[in-house]
Amino acid sequence: MTDVPENTAPVALACEGLRYAFGETRAVDDLELTVRAGEVFGLLGPNGAGKTTAIRCITTLLPVPAGMVRVFGHDAAKERMAVRRLLGYVPQQLSADAGLTGRENVELFARVFDVTRRERADRVARVLEAVGLTAAADRLAKTYSGGMIRRLELAQALVSAPRLLMLDEPTIGLDPIARTSVWEHINAVRAATGMTVLVTTHYMDEADQYCDRVALMHRGRIHALGTPHELRSELAERRRAEGEADPGPTLEDVFRDVAGRGLDEQGGDFRDVRSTRRTASRVG
């Protein structure tokens, strides 16, 4: 984790009153969220909290039916292509093609994101080096380990030189060593470019260690926001005031405190579980 940017830092992402519903179910409910330029921002919450739906609205994969989303001042509803040019996105589901080499996968994304032919080869080579895949670049992706696949997908997202990198469960299913490796590469690129990172994760240790600020989302809304230290301290103070003896709450304790019993009710449906387990088994 780096020093948190000053409050005067430019705004990378602003959501105001964002709402999105699937039929009668409101997945995102008047979401208010501001991410400062240059920070690593963690969006945490149980399955079904609305995190992925919010990310899909921000990345323009879903429309913005109500409210407002701006990425570096560009309206995601009215300036979709301008917003897309500013973003890199690593989804939960695998996006790498097993039948292509690592280099071919990244080249494909370079073409999709309209990297000019003149710049393409150099840009692809640089992002593969940045994520430590130069030596394996010409191997088929199906021969990669889980950690290598996630780093390949990171390279795919970085090839367009995004100002805002969106990571939806980037280390799902990985062992601790591979998780650390992915984060080391994210932080190295961020230090070199100054890009902003928004990440969702269920690994509270990752959020505590790597995020400048975190927001805890539940039932479509933000219920707690601050640095990991601030949120842990607030819970400790409240527990002391209630007479509880606590050696010091963790960020997971904060997570449980915010979500409460709703965790059992908001655990997603069968498709969510099946998708997550399929992803984890493929990258594990």
Side-chain angles (χ1 to χ4, degrees), residues 112 147 269 284:
V112 168
D269 60 17

Coordinates of all heavy atoms in Angstrom, one line a residue, residues 112 147 269 284:
V112 N -8.1 -4.9 -30.4 CA -9.4 -4.6 -30.0 C -9.5 -3.1 -29.4 O -10.4 -2.4 -29.6 CB -9.9 -5.6 -28.9 CG1 -11.2 -5.1 -28.2 CG2 -10.2 -6.9 -29.5
G147 N -1.3 -18.7 -11.9 CA -0.8 -17.4 -11.7 C -0.3 -16.7 -13.0 O -0.5 -15.5 -13.2
D269 N -26.8 -16.6 -6.3 CA -27.6 -17.8 -6.7 C -26.7 -18.9 -7.2 O -25.5 -18.9 -7.2 CB -28.6 -17.4 -7.7 CG -28.0 -16.9 -9.0 OD1 -26.8 -17.1 -9.2 OD2 -28.8 -16.3 -9.8
G284 N -6.7 -22.5 -10.9 CA -6.0 -23.0 -9.7 C -4.8 -23.9 -10.1 O -4.7 -24.4 -11.2

